[in-house]
């Protein structure tokens, strides 16, 4: 599932190294390297995010996990998952207008001449998949509601 983001990160690294090498050794930088690295960064972030969400591997700070009941911990996780869905939906919605404008105005990348709407399409695809992943993670979390008997001291 992470093949595409890993390939994008590898391409970013190789293009940057090659560009620096070509610039300093031959005084001939790679044309379009900034645009390619920018696109690869977008792909690596937006295509890896759904996997991170589905696998439950985001960066967590669990300072209070041991101090609260399993039910309260579940409630915190559920609220965080719901907020994640809402924030990703807002980001997707916020991206629609600039993507549509890039298409209507015919914006292109300066060095590559690539239409910007294509890059927006990749971003929208990635964030849409992230929304789906967040909804699935929230549903999965909802199905795992801890019972009152699993709390400490419950009768």
């Amino acid at each position: 599932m992470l093949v595409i983001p890993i390939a994008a990160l590898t391409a970013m690294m190789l293009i940057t190294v090659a560009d620096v090498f070509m610039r300093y050794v031959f005084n001939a930088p790679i044309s379009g390297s900034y645009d390619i690295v920018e696109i690869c960064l977008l792909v690596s972030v937006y295509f890896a995010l759904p996997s991170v969400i589905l696998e439950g591997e985001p960066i967590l700070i669990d300072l209070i996990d041991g101090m609260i009941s399993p039910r309260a911990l579940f409630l915190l996780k559920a609220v965080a998952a719901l907020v994640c869905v809402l924030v990703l939906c807002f980001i997707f919605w916020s991206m629609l207008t600039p993507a549509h404008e890039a298409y209507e105005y015919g914006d292109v990348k300066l060095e590559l001449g690539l239409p910007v709407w294509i890059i927006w399409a990749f971003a929208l695809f990635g964030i849409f998949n992230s929304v789906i992943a967040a909804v699935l993670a929230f549903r999965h979390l909802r199905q795992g509601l801890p019972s009152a008997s699993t709390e400490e001291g419950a009768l």
Side-chain angles (χ1 to χ4, degrees), residues 9 11 26 36 64 66 71 87-88 93 109 111 116 128 155:
L9 282 173
F26 300 112
I36 295 169
I64 62 169
R71 225 160 162 59
V87 167
L88 288 170
W93 177 76
K109 298 299 287 177
E111 292 182 1
V116 174
F128 181 73
L155 295 175

Side-chain angles (χ1 to χ4, degrees), residues 68-111:
I68 60 176
S69 70
R71 225 160 162 59
L73 181 60
F74 172 80
L75 181 63
L76 284 176
K77 287 182 179 181
V79 168
L82 182 60
V83 168
C84 180
V85 170
L86 296 174
V87 167
L88 288 170
C89 284
F90 176 74
I91 291 171
F92 179 80
W93 177 76
S94 297
M95 291 170 68
L96 289 174
T97 300
H100 183 68
E101 288 175 353
Y103 177 75
E104 280 187 345
Y105 300 149
D107 294 345
V108 294
K109 298 299 287 177
L110 292 177
E111 292 182 1

Side-chain angles (χ1 to χ4, degrees), residues 12-100:
M12 272 184 7
M13 177 191 65
L14 293 174
I15 290 167
T16 302
V17 169
D19 184 49
V20 169
F21 178 79
M22 294 292 289
R23 182 182 313 270
Y24 288 108
V25 174
F26 300 112
N27 198 25
I30 298 172
S31 179
S33 63
Y34 293 118
D35 289 344
I36 295 169
V37 168
E38 179 184 57
I39 293 165
C40 288
L41 179 62
L42 177 138
V43 168
S44 66
V45 169
Y46 284 114
F47 281 46
L49 189 58
S51 180
V52 169
I53 292 170
L54 275 178
E55 294 175 12
E57 297 295 331
I59 297 172
L60 297 174
I61 300 172
D62 55 358
L63 295 174
I64 62 169
D65 286 10
M67 295 184 268
I68 60 176
S69 70
R71 225 160 162 59
L73 181 60
F74 172 80
L75 181 63
L76 284 176
K77 287 182 179 181
V79 168
L82 182 60
V83 168
C84 180
V85 170
L86 296 174
V87 167
L88 288 170
C89 284
F90 176 74
I91 291 171
F92 179 80
W93 177 76
S94 297
M95 291 170 68
L96 289 174
T97 300
H100 183 68

